[in-house]
């Protein structure tokens, strides 16, 4: 159904290529950046982002969007990520909104939801009244610090996240729900919660 939806928005495939990038941090272990796959079909660029969100991934997305803008292409971004760096996810979301990107969720958990929320159009699939792909939500680690100690730093950082979600979604419902779920847990958002948060603008029935 996901591929069918994309094909409805595009014509015949002209070419397809895959870009794999690794981002290395100052850490004894090699970090795993997102994998970016692009396919260009007439005037629509589809970008699939997979893996953990890490520093540098927003710059990778920005480069792809610059190319799409120069070519006057519409852009669809499919997100398949369990989360990662919160600041990078918000940066990606801002890029999506500024460039009028359509976001589609596959696996999308934790901070991936913040990136998804930036889509000017946000598509999700449902089957028999249930999400086909769930949004798995919890608060960031700093959210735990805010709930437990109410530290000034946590207040400042979480305030920035709350403001971001207000701008992107027009309400505090997602933030308020997120803050009830400890960082060590995950909550699969129900359809009613997704609607209340205005997280999805377009539901597509499978």
């Amino acid at each position: 159904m996901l591929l069918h939806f994309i094909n409805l928005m595009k014509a015949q495939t002209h070419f397809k290529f895959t870009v794999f990038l690794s981002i290395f941090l100052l850490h004894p272990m090699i970090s795993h950046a997102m994998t970016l796959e692009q396919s260009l079909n007439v005037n629509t660029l589809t970008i699939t982002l997979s893996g953990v969100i890490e520093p540098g991934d927003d710059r990778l997305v920005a480069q792809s969007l610059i190319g799409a803008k120069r070519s006057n292409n519409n852009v669809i971004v499919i997100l398949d990520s369990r989360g990662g760096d919160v600041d990078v996810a918000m940066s990606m979301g801002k890029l999506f909104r500024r460039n009028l990107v359509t976001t589609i969720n596959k696996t999308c958990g934790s901070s991936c939801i913040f990136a998804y929320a930036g889509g000017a159009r946000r598509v999700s699939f449902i089957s028999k009244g249930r999400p086909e792909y769930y949004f798995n939500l919890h608060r960031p680690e700093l959210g735990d610090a805010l709930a437990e100690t109410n530290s000034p730093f946590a207040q400042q950082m979480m305030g920035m996240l709350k403001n971001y979600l207000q701008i992107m979604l027009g309400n505090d419902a997602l933030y308020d729900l997120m803050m009830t779920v400890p960082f060590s847990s995950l909550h699969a958002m129900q359809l009613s919660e997704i609607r209340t948060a205005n997280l999805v603008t377009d539901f597509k029935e499978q």
Side-chain angles (χ1 to χ4, degrees):
M1 184 66 183
L2 179 60
L3 292 176
H4 175 68
F5 170 74
I6 295 170
N7 288 334
L8 289 176
M9 302 176 69
K10 304 178 292 187
Q12 296 296 318
T13 301
H14 282 196
F15 65 88
K16 185 174 183 179
F17 56 94
T18 303
V19 180
F20 294 98
L21 289 127
S22 296
I23 295 177
F24 297 90
L25 303 179
L26 295 176
H27 192 279
M29 299 290 290
I30 296 175
S31 66
H32 300 281
M34 300 191 89
T35 297
L36 184 151
E37 181 179 304
Q38 297 185 142
S39 61
L40 179 62
N41 302 274
V42 185
N43 67 338
T44 299
L45 177 68
T46 299
I47 300 171
T48 300
L49 293 171
S50 306
V52 178
I53 300 170
E54 295 188 353
D57 288 334
D58 50 344
R59 294 192 294 273
L60 170 65
V61 170
Q63 291 172 0
S64 294
L65 294 179
I66 288 172
K69 188 172 183 179
R70 285 174 180 166
S71 302
N72 200 29
N73 291 321
N74 300 315
V75 181
I76 300 168
V77 172
I78 301 169
L79 289 159
D80 188 3
S81 171
R82 62 183 175 84
D85 190 290
V86 172
D87 290 335
V88 176
M90 289 195 293
S91 177
M92 289 167 60
K94 291 173 184 177
L95 286 167
F96 297 158
R97 184 61 58 91
R98 190 158 57 244
N99 289 276
L100 302 179
V101 167
T102 294
T103 51
I104 300 175
N105 73 302
K106 290 188 72 177
T107 301
C108 194
S110 189
S111 63
C112 173
I113 298 172
F114 309 149
Y116 174 89
R121 183 185 181 201
R122 302 179 295 279
V123 176
S124 190
F125 293 91
I126 56 176
S127 177
K128 298 179 180 180
R130 297 187 179 212
E132 183 71 14
Y133 301 102
Y134 280 93
F135 294 98
N136 294 310
L137 183 70
H138 64 181
R139 64 196 183 209
E141 287 185 271
L142 277 175
D144 280 356
L146 180 61
E148 294 166 6
T149 67
N150 202 29
S151 75
F153 178 73
Q155 286 182 29
Q156 180 183 2
M157 294 297 102
M158 293 304 295
M160 291 171 61
L161 176 56
K162 183 177 183 178
N163 182 64
Y164 168 84
L165 292 173
Q166 285 175 335
I167 292 171
M168 295 302 175
L169 303 178
N171 63 69
D172 292 332
L174 182 67
Y175 180 87
D176 292 342
L177 176 62
M178 175 190 73
M179 288 302 294
T180 68
V181 185
F183 178 72
S184 59
S185 302
L186 279 177
H187 171 71
M189 293 181 70
Q190 301 304 300
L191 199 56
S192 60
E193 295 169 333
I194 294 170
R195 293 186 189 277
T196 299
N198 192 34
L199 181 58
V200 173
T201 61
D202 293 274
F203 288 101
K204 299 295 179 183
E205 184 74 41
Q206 291 276 41

